[in-house]
Amino acid sequence: MSIDRELLSRPALQVAPVLLGATLVSSIGGAEVAVRITEVEAYEGTADPASHAFRGPTRRNAVMFGEAGRLYCYFIYGMHWCANITCALPGTAAAVLLRAAQIEDGEPVAQARTPNPLSRAKLASGPARLARVLGLAGEHTGLDLLDAGSPVRLTELGAPADYRTGPRVGITAAAEHPWRFWLPDEPSVSSYRPGGRKRVAATRQTGAP
DNA sequence: TTGTCGATTGAG
DNA sequence: TCAATCGACAAT
């Protein structure tokens, strides 16, 4: 089943479940790695406080405001890259964060890109691990995933499948929305972690009696 | 120009 | 529970 851009040009909330089970192939570095997406999160742009596009266009998030089906990679915590697929129509920022996948092909390459040995199921479990095994970094932002000549491409969708939803991982803003989507019974799905510490007021308790 | 914080991971 | 580690962005 091929993927057309129109399908991805919908709001992130509609695109996210469609990407579950889809195949993503990277031939970056001359080595091919193929994965099957098992977990994603929707980010709805200027209306979503947790989105990088919430405060409007910047150099970093510019690709989110363009056409759907492009790669958006961002650097986080001083050491990790995470990958998104842009969606919605041009002018409207939205993207789907790729949180986890199952390695379908190229496991030796994936292992070679991983500092410490991990089981096959955990190699791409978590957004930074997923980007790592595919060799993705900032320089790949903007790649057209629907272009057969691209080093990273979405090749096919999975069959429509049952899925689960829940809160997004690791965010503090708009944490109440169940905008995380995953396939049940998939060992590659990452474990849930609540968002980081909220700003602590000057009156915080110290524990002293 | 400076300071704060983050769509994470791995070790203790 | 916490450190690693640096780019983006808001506040000077």
Side-chain angles (χ1 to χ4, degrees), chain A residues 33-35 38 99-135 187-189:
Chain A
V33 175
V35 303
T38 58
R99 283 202 59 89
Q102 177 66 40
I103 308 290
E104 293 291 317
D105 193 25
E107 181 179 350
V109 178
Q111 285 285 5
R113 288 173 171 159
T114 305
N116 302 310
L118 289 173
S119 68
R120 184 185 180 101
K122 295 300 177 191
L123 274 174
S125 178
R129 286 175 174 175
L130 173 49
R132 188 174 63 189
V133 299
L134 293 177
S188 60
V189 172

Side-chain angles (χ1 to χ4, degrees), chain A residues 24-44:
Chain A
L24 191 59
V25 182
S26 167
S27 50
I28 288 170
E32 188 161 293
V33 175
V35 303
R36 175 171 171 268
I37 298 169
T38 58
E39 179 189 356
V40 299
E41 283 177 359
Y43 286 86
E44 288 290 15

Side-chain angles (χ1 to χ4, degrees), chain A residues 8 15 19 24 37 68-72 83-87 94-98 145 154:
Chain A
L8 301 180
V15 174
L19 290 175
L24 191 59
I37 298 169
R70 300 276 179 163
L71 192 63
Y72 167 44
N84 294 250
I85 296 176
T86 64
C87 44
V96 172
L97 171 69
L98 305 178
L145 300 173
L154 262 178

Side-chain angles (χ1 to χ4, degrees), chain A residues 176-199:
Chain A
E176 70 279 9
H177 296 123
W179 290 353
R180 176 184 179 221
F181 303 74
W182 69 92
L183 294 173
D185 306 317
E186 282 285 344
S188 60
V189 172
S190 68
S191 55
Y192 177 74
R193 287 196 194 193
R197 46 190 69 69
K198 288 179 178 171
R199 205 191 313 283

